[in-house]
Amino acid sequence: MNETDELIELCVRALAMQMSAAPGAELHMTRRCILALTDEISADHNRLILGADADVEGFLVRAVARARERDRPLVALMAPAVAEALPPLATQLGLTAVGAAPLMVLRPNVAVQPTRPIKVVRALGPELVGVAGDLIAAAFDEPRDVIARCIEVSITPTSGMETYVAWDEDRPVCTVSLTLTGDTAGVTLMATPPERQGQGMGRALLTHVIDDYRRRGVERFHLGATEAGRPLYASLGFDLVTDLPVWVLDRAGPVFVP
């Protein structure tokens, strides 16, 4: 198995951990494909990953049909192995190409040291989980109640997603979550509110957490970056594995009958 296919499988598992507790959560999965729907009408909370599955075209058709049945939009990521073949079908189904998401990995031989002393606390219990939710809502300009319903519900001791908050003196300044599979951790929900961006807090938090996880035996880290976040992760030693094409399905659109 090549590294891209392996990372796609890890992304499928991580998305299931992150979204399975949301209200109305509905998951359809294979090893390398997942459809994750919720009760929210935002595409950010209804997601599709399409990897090199033997029936990826059928999975795509069924995923769009189910999203249409529930009147939900979708954000869809395609692995390079299927990105050349699927666009005509995706277009016919009503999806629109909107860009690409860098898939990046930090390998075991890349040294990362904490950049500055910083207080980091794992978000456990309603109060700290709420603090993380406040930071995520502010950073991504999301309604606070949506974050509570769709993200905070997954921040539990047993969900498989661990969330950390960094503090500057007595004020929380940024947060990050990780999903662990074996000796590999997925980095997600890296969130710093706009007024605290550019101050090195996110870098300090992420390097601290990476160092801590490595002490616990984690060897590799992966993430799906934005174009804005790519320079930070590259500067920490994350390599670009590939750019995953991103497509969006609106709630209103053509209905495809195969």
Side-chain angles (χ1 to χ4, degrees):
M1 183 190 310
N2 64 43
E3 185 178 41
T4 299
D5 286 343
E6 181 189 4
L7 292 174
I8 291 294
E9 290 185 14
L10 293 175
C11 289
V12 166
R13 297 179 192 176
L15 185 61
M17 293 179 196
Q18 183 178 331
M19 297 185 64
S20 61
E26 178 182 345
L27 303 179
H28 300 272
M29 299 171 58
T30 67
R31 284 182 62 186
R32 296 174 186 162
C33 296
I34 182 171
L35 170 67
L37 299 174
T38 73
D39 281 344
E40 301 300 325
I41 58 172
S42 165
D44 285 337
H45 300 288
N46 296 279
R47 293 184 170 266
L48 176 64
I49 296 176
L50 298 165
D53 188 90
D55 186 31
V56 65
E57 291 190 1
F59 194 96
L60 172 57
V61 171
R62 292 188 296 273
V64 170
R66 184 59 184 144
R68 294 285 191 217
E69 288 174 2
R70 289 192 59 175
D71 191 25
R72 294 292 176 266
L74 283 175
V75 172
L77 301 178
M78 294 183 185
V82 300
E84 290 187 9
L86 285 184
L89 175 59
T91 300
Q92 191 174 8
L93 290 169
L95 286 89
T96 303
V98 295
L103 179 62
M104 306 183 76
V105 64
L106 181 71
R107 298 187 173 89
N109 61 339
V110 179
V112 173
Q113 299 296 328
T115 58
R116 60 191 285 185
I118 192 170
K119 177 184 175 182
V120 177
V121 177
R122 183 175 173 189
L124 291 173
E127 182 175 352
L128 287 173
V129 169
V131 168
D134 290 341
L135 292 166
I136 294 167
F140 296 114
D141 194 25
E142 283 259 16
R144 187 64 183 82
D145 60 324
V146 173
I147 297 301
R149 289 194 298 268
C150 292
I151 293 178
E152 288 183 29
V153 293
S154 296
I155 306 176
T156 71
T158 59
S159 67
M161 185 170 75
E162 298 183 3
T163 298
Y164 297 86
V165 176
W167 300 73
D168 182 17
E169 297 182 350
D170 62 344
R171 295 180 62 84
V173 291
C174 54
T175 182
V176 68
S177 296
L178 293 95
T179 54
L180 187 61
T181 305
D183 62 1
T184 300
V187 179
T188 187
L189 295 173
M190 185 78 197
T192 305
E195 68 273 14
R196 300 309 300 255
Q197 292 176 8
Q199 300 173 16
M201 293 298 181
R203 175 185 292 270
L205 170 60
L206 187 54
T207 55
H208 176 99
V209 171
I210 289 172
D211 184 62
D212 178 60
Y213 268 60
R214 281 180 164 173
R215 294 176 190 274
R216 294 160 52 185
V218 175
E219 297 183 357
R220 185 177 54 164
F221 299 82
H222 67 91
L223 56 83
T226 62
E227 285 301 329
R230 187 200 294 245
L232 167 62
Y233 302 122
S235 72
L236 291 175
F238 281 82
D239 287 333
L240 176 67
V241 177
T242 189
D243 284 310
L244 302 176
V246 181
W247 292 67
V248 170
L249 177 74
D250 292 330
R251 295 171 67 193
V255 177
F256 174 74
V257 179

